[in-house]
Amino acid sequence: MTTMNGDITRAIELDTMEVQGAEGRTLVARLLRWDVENEVTDDGRSFYTEIWDRGSFANTIKRAEQSNRKWPMFLNHKRSEAPIGAVASIHERDDGPWMTAKLSNTSGGNDALELYRDGALTSVSIGATVLRSRRVERAIHRMEVAVREVSMTPFNQLIGADIMALRSHEAATSYLDELDEFLKNRKT
């Protein structure tokens, strides 16, 4: 396992064993980092400062769990094209919201998987509707959002929005347990 600046990098292998027939199609990613200033743009011309508040995903996660809903995964927010997979879960953690997603065994999912393995798609981006926000000095704080979709991208707009690992299977312990154990034992 390797670390960079105290963060987990995509070089970490969360799997501890191989399973016969493992597909290797489950992505683990952090969607963003809490309480960090991000210079973002919606139109490619004008930029503003955005900060995502801890807890801003709580209600969208709760609604998805209650309805057993998954979020679609696209490539570069191209919602006019078929999804490349589905986000199975999002969990709020101390450093930001984390997700697992399964890339579908379709031409789009297979292409995205190959581009990830080649190092061309290493980040994620969320498509969300902002339900509550507030301005504090020069920054807009995102207080509550409803996630619509997640996309694989070649680079991130939000700090920390990176694919961290590709799992070959769902182990007996969850990736959150494995991640907690790694973070607890790492040297900072």
Side-chain angles (χ1 to χ4, degrees), residues 16-186:
T16 56
M17 60 182 170
E18 288 299 316
V19 173
Q20 185 177 6
E23 293 182 305
R25 303 185 80 86
T26 301
L27 296 176
V28 177
R30 181 177 49 216
L31 298 174
L32 54 90
R33 291 187 65 87
W34 302 129
D35 306 319
V36 172
E37 288 188 0
N38 295 280
E39 294 302 314
V40 298
T41 181
D42 296 325
D43 60 11
R45 295 181 302 275
S46 57
F47 289 82
Y48 59 95
T49 302
E50 180 179 73
I51 298 172
W52 292 76
D53 290 350
R54 196 175 306 259
S56 57
F57 283 68
N59 287 331
T60 197
I61 292 169
K62 182 179 176 182
R63 284 189 297 274
E65 288 172 350
Q66 289 172 341
S67 65
N68 201 25
R69 179 178 176 264
K70 296 181 180 182
W71 296 273
M73 176 167 262
F74 292 96
L75 183 60
N76 292 314
H77 298 292
K78 292 184 180 174
R79 292 184 296 227
S80 60
E81 298 178 8
I84 60 171
V87 176
S89 65
I90 298 176
H91 299 277
E92 288 194 342
R93 300 181 51 80
D94 287 343
D95 62 341
W98 285 70
M99 65 137 213
T100 58
K102 183 175 182 197
L103 292 174
S104 298
N105 190 10
T106 61
S107 58
N110 293 336
D111 289 348
L113 181 60
E114 196 62 30
L115 288 167
Y116 167 77
R117 288 181 174 152
D118 289 346
L121 292 176
T122 59
S123 300
V124 290
S125 177
I126 58 167
T129 300
V130 176
L131 302 175
R132 287 188 310 128
S133 63
R134 66 183 171 163
R135 180 174 288 280
V136 177
E137 297 177 8
R138 63 180 191 86
I140 297 174
H141 284 253
R142 302 302 184 196
M143 299 168 56
E144 182 181 357
V145 297
V147 175
R148 292 187 321 268
E149 53 92 4
V150 177
S151 286
M152 290 180 71
T153 61
F155 54 88
N156 57 20
Q157 181 168 241
L158 300 175
I159 295 170
D162 297 306
I163 299 169
M164 301 297 189
L166 178 67
R167 293 174 60 98
S168 63
H169 68 283
E170 287 298 322
T173 59
S174 76
Y175 82 97
L176 293 172
D177 294 337
E178 293 174 24
L179 186 60
D180 284 339
E181 187 65 25
F182 172 77
L183 292 172
K184 186 172 85 177
N185 292 323
R186 75 180 174 158

